[in-house]
Amino acid sequence: MADDNKTPYEVLGVAKTASDAEIKKAYRKLAKELHPDLTGGDAAKADRFKAVSAAYDLLRDAENRRRYDAGEIDASGQERQQEQYYRQYAENDPSGRYEYEGGFDDLGDLFKNAFRGGGRSRGGFSSGFGEDFSHMKMRGQDLHFHMEISFREAVEGGKKAVTLPEAGRLEITIPAGIEDGQTLRLAGKGGPGANGGAPGDALITISVAEDPVFTRDGDDIHMDLPVSIDEAVLGGPVEVPLPGGRVRLKVPANSSSGRVMRLRGKGVVRANGRAGDLLVTLKVVLPQTEDPALAEAIRKWRAEHSYDARANWEGNRK
C-alpha cells in the first residue's frame, strides 16, 4: 500500500500536534471519500481506507498515541521489541497475544528480524537461523473499517448492511446506545489465515452523525424546544420529538427562556434496561413578523407591570 511508510499522522494528513478534534475531523473527511460502499469497489481507495481507519484507531486512543509518540509501539500498535525471539514473547506475555496462532500482525517483528539474516526456504519462510515457519498456523489480519450512523440509529440500535472486502455484504447489529468512536468487532470477518490458521476480525469504528435537534451527554439526551410567548406565559401541553417518536410535555405557566425540564427515562435506553433522561431547554420565540396587537398589549402591560429582568443577573455584579 502507498501508505505503508507513512506515519499515522501523515496518513490522516494532520500535524503531530493535531488535537483530538482535528484528528477526528480529518478521519471523517477521508472515510467519506474512501469508504468501499461509496467508491464502487475501487481497490486502491479500499486500501487507503484500511490505512486511514488503522491510523485513526491508533491515534484516537490517548494512551496508544502517547506510546506511539514515545516510540514504545509502532504504527500497527505492536511493541517495539528489538531482536527478540517468538518464544521469549510467548513466555513473558500472560495475555497470550503472542500465542502460536497469534496472526500476521503479531509475528511482524519476528519476520522483520528473521529476514535480516536470511530469506525464503524452499518450503516457505526461513528465519535465517535454520527455522522454517512455512507450516505455522497463523491468524489472519484484523481489518479496520469506518461506518457513520444517524443519531437515531445510535440511540435505538438496529440492523445495518455493510460491504467488507473480505466478507462481502453483511447485515450487522448496531446495539442500542452505541457511542461515537466505539468499535464493533465482527469475529472471523477479517483477513484470511495461513496454513489453516483462523481468519482475523473486522473492526468497525462507529461515527455518529450530528443531529439538528438532539445532542447527547452519556445516556442523557438534550434538546432546545421553541415555545410561543403565550405558551411561556400561560403554560400548557406541547408535543416534544424523541429520536424514535413523540411525547407530550406540560410547560408550566410563567416559564422563562432557558428553563430546563427533565423527562426521566426518555433518554438513551441500554440493552440492560438502564435509561437516561431527556432534558428539554425552553426557548421563547416571538412571532416571525411584527404583530401590532401584541405590541400594543405589551405597551399597556409594561405601563402598569414593568419589572427588571436583569435584577439578579450576574452581569450586574461586574
Side-chain angles (χ1 to χ4, degrees):
M1 271 187 287
D3 291 326
D4 282 352
N5 296 321
K6 292 184 176 181
T7 69
Y9 297 102
E10 291 170 335
V11 171
L12 293 174
V14 298
K16 190 174 180 179
T17 56
S19 66
D20 291 345
E22 289 171 332
I23 289 173
K24 183 176 181 179
K25 181 178 180 181
Y27 168 65
R28 283 189 168 184
K29 180 177 183 294
L30 288 170
K32 289 179 180 179
E33 295 174 1
L34 302 172
H35 195 284
D37 283 345
L38 305 175
T39 55
D42 187 308
K45 289 185 177 180
D47 283 344
R48 279 200 64 205
F49 176 72
K50 293 177 187 177
V52 165
S53 296
Y56 177 64
D57 200 44
L58 179 82
L59 296 181
R60 73 185 180 88
D61 184 293
E63 177 62 12
N64 282 344
R65 182 180 180 183
R66 181 199 67 76
R67 296 189 68 203
Y68 173 77
D69 290 344
E72 297 174 10
I73 60 175
D74 62 21
S76 66
Q78 301 301 310
E79 301 285 343
R80 290 188 183 275
Q81 299 284 353
Q82 296 299 318
E83 305 297 338
Q84 300 225 26
Y85 295 98
Y86 169 75
R87 187 178 302 279
Q88 290 174 300
Y89 281 115
E91 291 174 350
N92 295 323
D93 184 9
S95 70
R97 180 173 48 160
Y98 293 97
E99 291 175 354
Y100 188 66
E101 295 187 9
F104 295 127
D105 286 343
D106 299 340
L107 296 175
D109 288 339
L110 170 66
F111 287 134
K112 287 177 185 176
N113 291 335
F115 289 143
R116 292 173 186 165
R120 291 179 181 272
S121 71
R122 184 174 299 176
F125 290 116
S126 170
S127 68
F129 302 101
E131 297 169 292
D132 184 359
F133 296 102
S134 61
H135 302 296
M136 180 182 290
K137 287 184 179 181
M138 291 184 290
R139 181 178 177 276
Q141 272 190 313
D142 288 342
L143 301 181
H144 297 262
F145 304 93
H146 162 269
M147 181 169 65
E148 185 172 84
I149 62 176
S150 68
F151 188 92
R152 176 173 177 174
E153 288 171 326
V155 171
E156 296 187 313
K159 303 290 186 179
K160 191 88 170 178
V162 298
T163 300
L164 303 181
E166 299 292 341
R169 193 163 183 82
L170 297 173
E171 185 175 69
I172 66 174
T173 299
I174 306 295
I178 193 168
E179 297 185 53
D180 186 79
Q182 281 190 248
T183 299
L184 298 177
R185 180 182 293 272
L186 304 184
K189 301 303 181 182
N195 300 321
D201 299 336
L203 303 174
I204 304 178
T205 300
I206 299 296
S207 291
V208 180
E210 293 183 1
D211 190 270
V213 175
F214 305 108
T215 58
R216 180 175 174 177
D217 181 12
D219 288 341
D220 291 337
I221 296 176
H222 294 253
M223 64 168 291
D224 291 341
L225 178 68
V227 294
S228 63
I229 190 170
D230 55 296
E231 289 170 331
V233 172
L234 303 176
V238 296
E239 279 199 346
V240 177
L242 298 173
R246 304 183 77 83
V247 65
R248 291 180 72 82
L249 169 70
K250 184 176 181 180
V251 176
N254 201 39
S255 290
S256 297
S257 199
R259 181 170 187 168
V260 178
M261 304 187 67
R262 183 183 295 268
L263 299 181
R264 298 196 179 278
K266 298 300 183 181
V268 177
V269 181
R270 299 283 187 172
N272 61 8
R274 187 184 68 189
D277 301 333
L278 175 67
L279 290 95
V280 181
T281 301
L282 303 181
K283 299 292 184 183
V284 179
V285 178
L286 296 177
Q288 294 183 356
T289 57
E290 186 176 349
D291 186 332
L294 176 60
E296 181 61 26
I298 292 297
R299 288 191 193 94
K300 292 181 179 179
W301 180 89
R302 183 167 61 181
E304 299 177 6
H305 307 283
S306 63
Y307 67 101
D308 186 358
R310 291 169 291 283
N312 297 315
W313 183 45
E314 291 292 334
N316 286 337
R317 300 179 184 178
K318 296 181 180 180

